[in-house]
Amino acid sequence: MESVSTWFIALSVLSQNILLSESAHLKIGVPENYDGIFPWYLTKLPDLPLTYSDLTVNGDDEGIFGVESGFLYALKPLDREKQPSYSLQVSFTKSMHTQSFTVEVCVIDKNDNVPVFLEESMRGSVQLGLLKGIPFMQVEALDRDDRNTAHADLRFSLLDQIPRIPASHMFSIDSITGEVSLTEDGASTLDPEMCGRYKLSVMVQDMAGKANAFFSTGTVLVEVTGNAWASPDPVRLQENLPGPYPIPISQVKWSGSPVEYSLEGEFPEMLFTINREGIIYLNAPLDRETQDQFHIDIVVERPDGREIAKPVELRVMVGDANDNRPTFPQMQYHTVVKELATKGTEILTVQAADNDDPKTDNVRIFYRLVGQMPETPRNLFRVDRDSGVITVQADSMEGTAPQYTLTITAEDAKGLNSSCTVIVKVLDENNNPPIFSHLEYGPFHLAEDSSVGTTVTVVSAWDADEWGGDSWQVDYRLESGNEEEVFTLLNDRQTNEAALILDKVLDFERENEYILVLSAQNPVALVRGRYGPASTATVTIFIDDINEGPVLSQSHYEVTVREGEEPGRVIATIRGYDPDSHPIRYSLRGDTKRYFSIGKYSGELKTVQALDREENHTYTMEVVAEDGRNSSLSASTLVTVHILDVNDNSPVLVGDYSWKYLCTPRWEDQALVLASRDSDGPQHGGRLNFSLRSDATVRRTWKLTPINDTHTNLSLNVPYLPPEVYIVPFTISDSSSPPRSTFINLPVTVCPCNVRGNCRTAPKQLEGMPTIQSTVGILLGTLGVIGVILIVIFVRLSYQNATPPNKDCQERVPLNVSL
């Protein structure tokens, strides 16, 4: 038991040491300037053992703190500005062992200090040209309270400005940083000649400027100074300066606080640069032809990158040096000159350009003709030295080469030059008329039946102008003898020939000879000379007679005949003629039923028998016309005969209605659908009309309702009708005028019906029809006769088979019946 107790005590002591070590550091906050009763108990010390002795506190040189009954206390107020924190060591004795832990006392700040400016007399200077919002000085203040609290959160404000000229609000102050800058009015109206010094009243507040904040005021004297910041004079630099580079070309200066300079503008990077002293350098040769002037903006900024003034401009102008050769806009030109052009005719102007300064003589250009291919004949062309105009130098271009290549040079005053080529095509002119190779062609013979498109002959005319050109091309025309346009000419542009073509069917009986006059002309006008007899030719053509077949006036005849017409009536006359005046014989082909006939020589088409449209409404046949002297020559035409309808058929009722019935009492929407038909065409058949007999009882009992042109509904017109078979009289009429009609007596069964619409009882029979009783009697009589016959048969079988058959073969022996 003692060993267990000892082990438990040791474990308890170890546990206390561990707890104490875990809380070996205690941190508390205590407000400063306490004005209550002392001693001032600050906190109860935690984690002290139940029994201890010699509790003390150390680390307090002024003897402010003490401990009693496990409490930490203070004997006087604390001042955070004097000492913001204390580190105390608390010791005690437990079981003969001294233990300790740290208590850190942090003094909590109170707003007990007034902010003050660091300088009693604050001075600054502002430069002319400074932009609004750019600080030129900063006022500073100090508050001894804790800077991590609102007690030391300072705000600056501007109270007054003296004098208030030229504007009452020339300056502004940043409420947080205390930076002083110009307002919009200040930046635009600041003038040291009007006012060179300003006195500003400023205030600083703690607590972020709240109503209960401490504050103090101060005075700021601002001196207005002039500034050398202005655009420098323009600079003129010669292009292609030899160097060495960089070359200083100008300088600017900001008369104020330290600044940094930079350049902006449309120029290659690093072509111009500026150093810290504001000296501007040119770092490479300039090319006036690339850019003849530069507008450089010089920007001044604070070291933090904020622009402090408006940029000033440096203008750099580049002077010209004769460093460009004249060049043509294209290396090759094409032009034409007519072969009849006279001396001095302008054919082309070439112009070279020089990129040097147009205000100098560096761009003056001279032109020279330095080559001609082919070289002969010489002196065909010349070029004006100053204008570049190329003209004809020779008296005439006739007989020269078809094309020349000229070489033209352009040279400036320094001797710099370039060249181009001019290709001159000598344009042929129409100064030679075409001449026929033969003045007469033929005579030619053409058969009367020659097909359209036949070539009669080919004519040609020779032209001495340039082959293949418009002046060489020939247009052939038929001047006379072709008034009816029987022939046509087909020009061949490749060979310059023309084919005389038959363009219409020939008729010997009408014209047996043609004398055609042809002319040959160029499509362009003659420049010199005229068309004479050599440009005209004659073609003679004789037509040979051919026996021709007959010709019918129409390729198809359409004839109409009313059905039922009397036979023998002329329904059409087929007209034909023979070019050779031979007689014509007519016949029919395709009239298999011989309904028609045709006059052998008259061509009169007649009906042989009356026609019925309901049998066939259209007949098509062929009429053949033969040459009376040569039956192999013939022509044919189709004849279509349309039979016109006549109202010769009455409408009829179609369908079986004996098994149909109507329910009584009347069922809504129940009706018998009656169908009719008319064999005539739509003109006479058309809409078929159903109408009840003109009887008051019939019209009161029954009702006809049309459905369409051929069907109608028959229904009861009264709520109830006794069950029976009724005869309904009505008439069906067609729509012709006058109409044809058919009278109908239709038996209609009327019976009571079950819920499914089925007829439940048989209706009363019509006279002459068997009744149910007679039908049953006939049936029973018939069955009695059949029974007697069967009895006789079985009796006779019993006598013929007195001995019964073996049971084993009973089902295998067939039944023998003798009747």
Side-chain angles (χ1 to χ4, degrees):
M1 290 293 293
E2 290 181 0
S3 61
V4 173
S5 176
T6 303
W7 178 83
F8 178 76
I9 294 172
L11 183 59
S12 301
V13 172
L14 180 61
S15 300
Q16 290 181 5
N17 290 335
I18 292 174
L19 292 173
L20 191 57
S21 64
E22 289 180 350
S23 59
H25 184 81
L26 178 63
K27 186 174 182 180
I28 63 173
V30 180
E32 68 173 336
N33 302 328
Y34 178 69
D35 57 355
I37 301 173
F38 290 93
W40 176 23
Y41 290 92
L42 304 178
T43 184
K44 179 173 177 59
L45 299 174
D47 300 328
L48 289 176
L50 295 176
T51 59
Y52 60 87
S53 62
D54 301 329
L55 180 63
T56 60
V57 60
N58 298 311
D60 175 19
D61 297 336
E62 299 180 15
I64 299 175
F65 300 97
V67 290
E68 181 182 359
S69 301
F71 283 90
L72 176 68
Y73 62 86
L75 297 176
K76 61 180 181 179
L78 304 179
D79 186 359
R80 195 202 66 83
E81 285 70 36
K82 181 177 180 181
Q83 187 168 345
S85 65
Y86 298 86
S87 182
L88 307 178
Q89 197 75 20
V90 177
S91 301
F92 61 90
T93 301
K94 172 65 175 174
S95 301
M96 306 295 292
H97 294 286
T98 302
Q99 299 180 23
S100 64
F101 58 91
T102 302
V103 178
E104 185 175 354
V105 178
C106 298
V107 183
I108 299 174
D109 184 50
K110 284 189 176 182
N111 190 16
D112 56 349
N113 291 280
V114 177
V116 294
F117 289 102
L118 295 184
E119 299 179 14
E120 293 183 5
S121 178
M122 294 172 282
R123 293 179 178 272
S125 63
V126 58
Q127 294 81 26
L128 192 64
L130 191 68
L131 294 176
K132 74 165 186 174
I134 301 300
F136 58 85
M137 68 173 293
Q138 183 178 16
V139 298
E140 295 180 299
L142 176 65
D143 191 307
R144 296 181 60 209
D145 289 321
D146 188 353
R147 358 188 114 190
N148 296 322
T149 66
H151 303 156
D153 188 5
L154 305 182
R155 293 292 185 270
F156 300 92
S157 58
L158 182 61
L159 300 177
D160 196 12
Q161 164 197 316
I162 299 175
R164 300 181 178 181
I165 57 172
S168 58
H169 298 286
M170 302 281 289
F171 302 91
S172 67
I173 187 169
D174 189 287
S175 62
I176 297 176
T177 63
E179 292 177 332
V180 182
S181 60
L182 291 172
T183 62
E184 182 70 38
D185 290 342
S188 60
T189 61
L190 193 66
D191 186 357
E193 295 183 0
M194 181 179 293
C195 180
R197 178 178 295 177
Y198 291 91
K199 181 179 179 181
L200 307 180
S201 296
V202 296
M203 180 176 66
V204 60
Q205 295 175 286
D206 62 10
M207 297 297 292
K210 294 181 179 178
N212 59 346
F214 294 132
F215 67 91
S216 61
T217 60
T219 301
V220 178
L221 297 177
V222 179
E223 193 81 20
V224 181
T225 62
N227 203 332
W229 185 249
S231 296
D233 294 333
V235 176
R236 186 175 184 86
L237 301 175
Q238 191 74 8
E239 67 174 333
N240 302 322
L241 289 176
Y245 292 91
I247 300 174
I249 59 174
S250 186
Q251 185 176 9
V252 293
K253 180 67 175 177
W254 173 261
S255 305
S257 56
V259 295
E260 293 182 0
Y261 304 99
S262 61
L263 303 179
E264 295 179 354
E266 297 293 331
F267 55 85
E269 187 176 2
M270 299 304 296
L271 180 61
F272 299 98
T273 55
I274 187 170
N275 64 8
R276 289 180 174 274
E277 288 72 35
I279 301 175
I280 302 171
Y281 293 92
L282 173 67
N283 296 308
L286 300 175
D287 183 5
R288 191 203 66 82
E289 288 70 39
T290 301
Q291 191 168 346
D292 60 353
Q293 62 178 334
F294 299 89
H295 295 274
I296 304 172
D297 289 332
I298 307 169
V299 179
V300 58
E301 299 174 338
R302 297 198 315 178
D304 62 1
R306 292 184 64 182
E307 190 174 347
I308 65 174
K310 293 181 179 179
V312 295
E313 182 184 71
L314 171 63
R315 184 180 175 192
V316 177
M317 294 166 290
V318 184
D320 184 48
N322 192 1
D323 57 347
N324 291 280
R325 66 179 67 250
T327 57
F328 290 96
Q330 57 192 75
M331 296 301 297
Q332 191 175 84
Y333 295 83
H334 292 266
T335 187
V336 296
V337 60
K338 295 181 179 180
E339 66 172 332
L340 299 181
T342 59
K343 183 177 182 178
T345 301
E346 293 185 7
I347 60 175
L348 183 68
T349 299
V350 292
Q351 291 287 328
D354 194 308
N355 287 331
D356 290 322
D357 191 349
K359 299 178 182 178
T360 65
D361 289 339
N362 298 336
V363 297
R364 188 175 181 185
I365 300 173
F366 305 97
Y367 300 93
R368 289 189 298 124
L369 175 62
V370 297
Q372 171 189 302
M373 289 297 294
E375 296 181 350
T376 56
R378 302 179 63 84
N379 300 324
L380 285 177
F381 307 95
R382 70 177 295 273
V383 62
D384 186 80
R385 181 173 180 269
D386 296 315
S387 65
V389 177
I390 302 173
T391 57
V392 176
Q393 180 71 9
D395 293 331
S396 173
M397 296 296 294
E398 285 188 277
T400 60
Q403 182 173 293
Y404 290 91
T405 301
L406 310 180
T407 302
I408 310 293
T409 63
E411 184 176 327
D412 64 10
K414 191 177 180 180
L416 300 176
N417 64 76
S418 62
S419 62
C420 71
T421 57
V422 178
I423 298 176
V424 182
K425 182 178 179 181
V426 180
L427 189 64
D428 179 52
E429 292 195 88
N430 192 19
N431 56 343
N432 295 287
I435 298 172
F436 275 102
S437 56
H438 299 85
L439 296 181
E440 292 185 0
Y441 292 86
F444 301 101
H445 287 267
L446 282 179
E448 182 183 12
D449 60 351
S450 296
S451 59
V452 173
T454 300
T455 300
V456 179
T457 187
V458 176
V459 298
S460 63
W462 178 79
D463 195 294
D465 290 315
E466 181 184 358
W467 186 90
D470 290 342
S471 301
W472 173 82
Q473 295 284 351
V474 177
D475 285 341
Y476 297 90
R477 302 174 185 172
L478 285 165
E479 299 293 345
S480 64
N482 191 42
E483 286 72 16
E484 296 183 359
E485 298 181 350
V486 177
F487 301 93
T488 187
L489 285 170
L490 183 62
N491 291 353
D492 187 338
R493 294 299 185 187
Q494 300 297 323
T495 62
N496 223 15
E497 298 175 336
L500 182 63
I501 307 295
L502 178 63
D503 199 39
K504 287 184 178 180
V505 176
L506 297 172
D507 187 354
F508 173 84
E509 288 72 24
R510 184 174 183 180
E511 190 72 45
N512 57 20
E513 181 183 0
Y514 294 90
I515 299 176
L516 308 177
V517 178
L518 281 66
S519 68
Q521 298 182 12
N522 299 120
V524 295
L526 277 172
V527 176
R528 189 168 60 193
R530 62 185 182 85
Y531 297 106
S535 299
T536 304
T538 302
V539 180
T540 302
I541 303 170
F542 293 115
I543 309 303
D544 297 332
D545 186 28
I546 298 295
N547 185 13
E548 301 169 85
V551 179
L552 295 174
S553 59
Q554 294 179 223
S555 61
H556 188 202
Y557 287 81
E558 296 277 348
V559 181
T560 58
V561 179
R562 291 173 60 87
E563 66 173 329
E565 286 280 354
E566 290 294 328
R569 178 176 174 270
V570 177
I571 62 175
T573 301
I574 309 304
R575 301 292 185 186
Y577 74 94
D578 190 287
D580 302 305
S581 301
H582 295 167
I584 300 175
R585 293 193 298 267
Y586 299 94
S587 62
L588 289 178
R589 184 185 299 164
D591 181 20
T592 58
K593 295 187 177 182
R594 301 187 181 277
Y595 285 146
F596 303 92
S597 66
I598 190 167
K600 184 175 182 180
Y601 295 104
S602 66
E604 293 180 345
L605 184 64
K606 301 178 181 180
T607 58
V608 176
Q609 53 183 300
L611 303 176
D612 185 1
R613 180 190 171 280
E614 283 69 41
E615 178 183 347
N616 194 355
H617 64 277
T618 302
Y619 295 89
T620 301
M621 68 203 78
E622 187 179 16
V623 176
V624 180
E626 297 178 352
D627 189 311
R629 296 183 181 179
N630 185 353
S631 61
S632 64
L633 299 176
S634 65
S636 64
T637 182
L638 287 178
V639 178
T640 301
V641 179
H642 300 281
I643 310 304
L644 296 179
D645 187 35
V646 174
N647 191 15
D648 55 352
N649 291 281
S650 299
V652 296
L653 183 70
V654 296
D656 180 14
Y657 304 94
S658 62
W659 57 276
K660 297 185 179 181
Y661 57 89
L662 293 174
C663 293
T664 183
R666 182 182 61 194
W667 282 40
E668 292 297 329
D669 300 328
Q670 185 190 29
L672 300 183
V673 179
L674 306 181
S676 60
R677 180 179 69 245
D678 192 309
S679 298
D680 291 321
Q683 178 182 0
H684 301 294
R687 182 178 181 87
L688 302 181
N689 301 308
F690 291 76
S691 60
L692 293 170
R693 192 179 64 187
S694 299
D695 183 280
T697 302
V698 172
R699 291 182 178 271
R700 183 177 64 254
T701 306
W702 306 97
K703 180 173 65 174
L704 290 173
T705 305
I707 299 175
N708 51 35
D709 289 350
T710 58
H711 291 71
T712 191
N713 279 332
L714 173 62
S715 60
L716 291 176
N717 200 28
V718 292
Y720 175 81
L721 198 63
E724 194 174 335
V725 176
Y726 293 86
I727 299 298
V728 180
F730 59 88
T731 302
I732 308 175
S733 304
D734 61 21
S735 56
S736 183
S737 179
R740 293 180 68 95
S741 303
T742 300
F743 181 77
I744 306 292
N745 278 323
L746 179 66
V748 178
T749 300
V750 177
C751 64
C753 299
N754 60 19
V755 293
R756 293 185 179 88
N758 298 323
C759 192
R760 292 191 300 185
T761 60
K764 180 180 179 181
Q765 295 296 323
L766 293 175
E767 291 185 10
M769 295 187 69
T771 64
I772 296 177
Q773 292 81 359
S774 63
T775 302
V776 172
I778 294 170
L779 179 61
L780 292 176
T782 303
L783 291 176
V785 173
I786 294 173
V788 171
I789 294 172
L790 290 176
I791 291 170
V792 173
I793 291 172
F794 283 113
V795 169
R796 295 193 63 181
L797 286 176
S798 64
Y799 282 108
Q800 291 176 1
N801 298 291
T803 303
N806 192 338
K807 186 176 181 181
D808 294 336
C809 62
Q810 184 178 354
E811 295 182 0
R812 294 197 298 268
V813 176
L815 178 65
N816 295 319
V817 179
S818 298
L819 297 175

